[in-house]
Amino acid sequence: PCSALVVLGSGGHTAEMLALLRGMDRQRFAPLHVVVADTDSTSLPKLQSSYPDLADRVTVHVVRRSREVGQSFAASVWPTLRAAAESVRLVARIRPQLVLCNGPGTCVPVCLGALLVRFLALGDPCIIFVESFCRVKTLSLSGRILYPLADRFVVQWPALAERFERAEYIGVLF
């Protein structure tokens, strides 16, 4: 078994991640931990209604949102630092072998936490970032931040793989 930490984000990010989770081997990826932002009111109900059997098997962790949609970068510095500190503690406590995310802002502090855990030799989590289906020609903000840091960076459109050398194009996943 491989312990996995999956980051859900409201809206389309959650829909895409749930589609990915549907295809995961549930015996292989266990225990399964799910992270949601404290202001995300849609992801958990969507998980529970779409995949009740999966919802019963996951451990849910709530973290601070690092940046609200539309919030200026200057105004998001302090909340991002607090979210990062909280995420470091979470990742250090769980020590997942896999961190799987697809672009919600919440995933950036979680991935930074995973990198710090690796740096401190508290674990060696593999970070897999799956760029959103809607990103055809450019990377999302989370993608731009995590591109040089993720162990694997997956894109769903060939145009992105052509522009970004480390990106792995494996086709549309949903």
Side-chain angles (χ1 to χ4, degrees), residues 2 9 23 35 46 58 66 83 91-92 96 100 111-112 122 153 162:
C2 173
V35 174
K46 190 176 284 189
V58 302
S66 56
V91 175
L100 180 62
C111 290
L112 293 176
L122 298 173
F153 194 93
E162 291 168 9

Side-chain angles (χ1 to χ4, degrees), residues 22-23 39 56 62 64 82 84 93 101 114 118 121-122 125 134 146 161:
R22 182 178 58 228
T39 59
D56 291 340
V62 179
R64 294 176 199 262
R82 286 192 332 215
R93 188 175 77 245
C101 56
R118 185 185 296 167
L122 298 173
C134 69
L146 294 174

